[in-house]
Amino acid sequence: PTFHGYQGGDVLGAAERIDYLADLGINAVYFNPIFQSASSHRYHTHDYFQVDPMLGGNAALREFLDEAHARNIRVVLDGVFNHASRGFFQFHDILENGPDSAYIDWFTVHEWPLRPYGSKQHGYAAWWNNPALPKFNTDTPAVRQFIFDVARHWIEFGIDGWRLDVPTEIDDDSFWQEFRRVVKTANPEAYIVGEIWGDAGRWLQGDQYDAVMNYGISRAALGMFGRETFDREYRPGGYKLVPLGARAFAHEVQRLMEMYPWEGTAAQFNLLDSHDTARFINQARGDWEALKQAILFLMTLPGAPCLYYGTEIGMTGGPDPDCRRAFPWDDMGSWNKDILSFTKAAIQLRKDNPALRRGRYVALYAHEDVLAFARQSDEQSDRTTSLAWGDV
């Protein structure tokens, strides 16, 4: 993969393969952005009300939702609401009409003329100063209403939640409180998860997001299970990775379990890697046992475990964009069947034990290379699941 190249694949293709996900045990899918865009990763949104025609358009999403819901699989879409793109109509209108544009207050203009291509001094606020990504001015009521309308539209269309891209860039609690009200009014069960790499206590008080992407878990898992092999130079999200023995690992997990109110901890979006990081197996430099232990750990923690596509078959990939390789449907001989079988078993373990889905986390033992903890279920007070790791 490259930053600008397309690899093929579309939403109808995903619908055709959905039985693979159901067989794996998946009960939710989170799509990276699928709205109309001129970039392969689609974080440069042109039209928030249209699924990209290259992916099959709105009709393809309708089919995928119907197929997913028929199998009790929920669907979360990526909401890129901090910035739009040069092709977004309202911004394009400013480029065409200058100060006379009807949408001049949708973005923040610093100086004229605007220079949207190839200049660091492009004249308007942009995400990370990238001229391709003009930042919305969410202080403008029309912009706020537009984003809320988008959020409501797709929930009413049938999606089951939003993953929010760089939401802290909209540094406005009242904005996200209203966003939550709009989404939860349309569907009280909808899931709202923000991309926040560090402490997210401000946004997890029950009035904004339900959860955040819990990269703390991924760093801890790599530090423990891949401590002998992981790449000491790599900094996922800018965070330094630290090797952890059982006791230090137990302390870090306990800290993560106590960072937020229990309702937030129980809803956390737990992951090992993502489209923004090298894959876990690459960070662990090919240590397959580290990956297996990390998957089991992921499936036994409080929260919502998320597998980045292809982890279950041992897909590899370095930092972005290499981590976004196409799924090898045409080369099943490359699949790591041992990892696939192990992942299925770990998912089934979670599904078979209510304590692993809903129970409290209780640390039991941590010494040298051995860690043990229990999950105790409120639903079944006599049901406790205990787990241990170690070099045996």
Side-chain angles (χ1 to χ4, degrees), residues 205-237:
Q205 298 302 309
D207 62 345
Q208 297 185 53
Y209 315 150
D210 296 312
V212 295
M213 298 179 76
N214 197 1
Y215 282 103
I217 287 294
S218 65
R219 295 190 292 269
L222 191 64
M224 170 68 175
F225 305 122
R227 65 185 180 276
E228 296 178 358
T229 58
F230 76 75
D231 184 351
R232 299 298 199 268
E233 301 301 319
Y234 186 56
R235 300 286 190 273

Side-chain angles (χ1 to χ4, degrees), residues 280-291:
F280 185 96
I281 189 61
N282 284 65
Q283 295 182 61
R285 295 182 172 179
D287 187 341
W288 294 104
E289 290 305 311
L291 176 61

Side-chain angles (χ1 to χ4, degrees), residues 98-112:
D100 295 323
S101 170
Y103 304 101
I104 193 67
D105 60 349
W106 279 54
F107 300 89
T108 301
V109 175
H110 299 310
E111 61 182 9
W112 302 98

